[in-house]
């Protein structure tokens, strides 16, 4: 495994991961680069709301603090659209098994706080969450999905106040490869995040879309700043540490399961000998290395389990 210093030295445009949320916020969460964010959001939302986004106002994401892990605190981009809708964009590289409820929580926070004192329910603003995921979450094959509130029998939508978008980058990466010239705007952005293009394709992608070219330029600015590079590396290391911890837990669980299985199997064999009259419960308990009462309880549990098994 590379050290932090080695990762710092080897970080460049080719190894740069735009789904590192520190980098994402640097590129998409800055006022001076909001034209990039405008283009990105327009690719998502034009079909849904049938109007182009002309301007955005960034909001402070401290409105919804969340720190499930001190090293993996939430970093996202929140903004209000000139047309009135609110948007929360999050990139997530770790599957913490809570994404569906988590995005609803963020949506609810935005929707709730859009109503100021003295306003009526008519003044509530539609809220949108966009979740860009480095893992697979949903059952459908398509990499892009949108959820809303609708009648399951008729398909009639209640309103457009709730829109939850999910982009599963691994699903896009698995699709048959298209030429850059044949991609839709949304597909070009997914190709940018998938980060699997060769030098020629990356150059073609930049030439095909001014906003994506701007995002690539912003990445170069990011990489030229040593402090930002270290922020990026620290985030990557936190992700690696988390994944390593999960893997260690799984391996320990498998080892515990094997040990438990061996123990249960030994009790089962000794229980058979007791039932056949070959051993007394006391003798079997001694061979199992447990008190006689504990062994008898284990025998009862095994018998109950066998009765419940069809």
């Amino acid at each position: 495994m590379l050290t932090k210093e080695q990762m710092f030295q080897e970080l460049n445009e080719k190894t740069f991961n735009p789904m590192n949320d520190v980098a994402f916020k640097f590129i998409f969460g800055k006022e001076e680069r909001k034209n990039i964010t405008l283009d990105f959001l327009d690719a998502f939302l034009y079909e849904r709301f049938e109007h182009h986004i002309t301007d955005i106002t960034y909001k402070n994401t401290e409105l919804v603090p969340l720190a499930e892990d001190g090293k993996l605190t939430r970093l996202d981009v929140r903004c209000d659209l000139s047309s009135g809708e609110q948007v929360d964009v999050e990139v997530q590289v770790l599957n913490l098994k809570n994404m569906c409820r988590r995005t609803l929580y963020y949506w609810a926070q935005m929707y709730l706080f859009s109503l100021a004192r003295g306003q009526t329910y008519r003044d509530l603003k539609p809220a949108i969450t966009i979740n860009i995921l480095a893992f697979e979450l949903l059952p459908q094959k398509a990499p892009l999905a949108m959820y809303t509130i609708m009648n399951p029998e008729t398909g009639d939508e209640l309103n457009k106040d709730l829109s939850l978008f999910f982009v599963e980058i691994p699903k896009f990466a698995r699709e048959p490869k298209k030429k850059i010239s044949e991609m839709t705007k949304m597909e070009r952005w997914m190709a940018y995040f998938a980060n699997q293009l060769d030098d020629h394709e990356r150059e073609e992608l930049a030439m095909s879309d001014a906003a994506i070219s701007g995002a690539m330029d912003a990445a170069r600015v990011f990489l030229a700043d040593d402090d930002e590079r270290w922020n990026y590396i620290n985030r990557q290391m936190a992700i690696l540490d988390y994944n390593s911890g999960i893997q260690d837990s799984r391996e320990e669980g498998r080892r515990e399961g094997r040990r438990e299985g061996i123990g249960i199997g030994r009790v089962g064999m000794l229980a058979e000998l007791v039932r056949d009259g070959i051993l007394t419960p006391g003798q079997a308990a001694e061979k199992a290395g447990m008190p006689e009462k504990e062994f008898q309880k284990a025998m009862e549990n095994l018998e109950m389990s066998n009765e419940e098994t069809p």
Side-chain angles (χ1 to χ4, degrees), residues 122-171:
R122 293 179 184 177
D123 298 309
L124 283 164
K125 297 178 181 179
I128 304 157
T129 67
I130 298 175
N131 305 284
I132 307 169
L133 309 178
F135 53 88
E136 297 187 22
L137 176 70
L138 304 171
Q140 89 286 338
K141 293 182 180 180
L144 175 62
M146 192 275 290
Y147 288 78
T148 184
I149 303 173
M150 61 174 51
N151 185 321
E153 294 183 3
T154 65
D156 293 331
E157 188 173 15
L158 182 66
N159 57 39
K160 292 188 177 181
D161 282 11
L162 182 147
S163 302
L164 310 177
F165 288 87
F166 296 89
V167 185
E168 298 169 273
I169 297 301
K171 289 181 179 178

Side-chain angles (χ1 to χ4, degrees), residues 53-89:
I53 301 169
T54 58
D55 200 8
I56 58 175
T57 303
Y58 287 104
K59 306 292 284 187
N60 186 356
T61 56
E62 292 303 314
L63 175 68
V64 191
L66 182 67
E68 295 175 343
D69 182 297
K71 296 179 182 178
L72 294 168
T73 52
R74 177 178 175 228
L75 289 175
D76 61 356
V77 173
R78 264 212 64 207
C79 57
D80 290 346
L81 309 186
S82 54
S83 48
E85 299 88 359
Q86 312 165 87
V87 181
D88 181 277
V89 187

Side-chain angles (χ1 to χ4, degrees), residues 94-109:
L94 294 172
N95 186 0
L96 302 176
K97 309 296 183 182
N98 62 8
M99 199 68 231
C100 294
R101 286 185 167 177
R102 175 175 171 145
T103 197
L104 274 171
Y105 178 76
Y106 297 162
W107 172 88
Q109 288 278 336

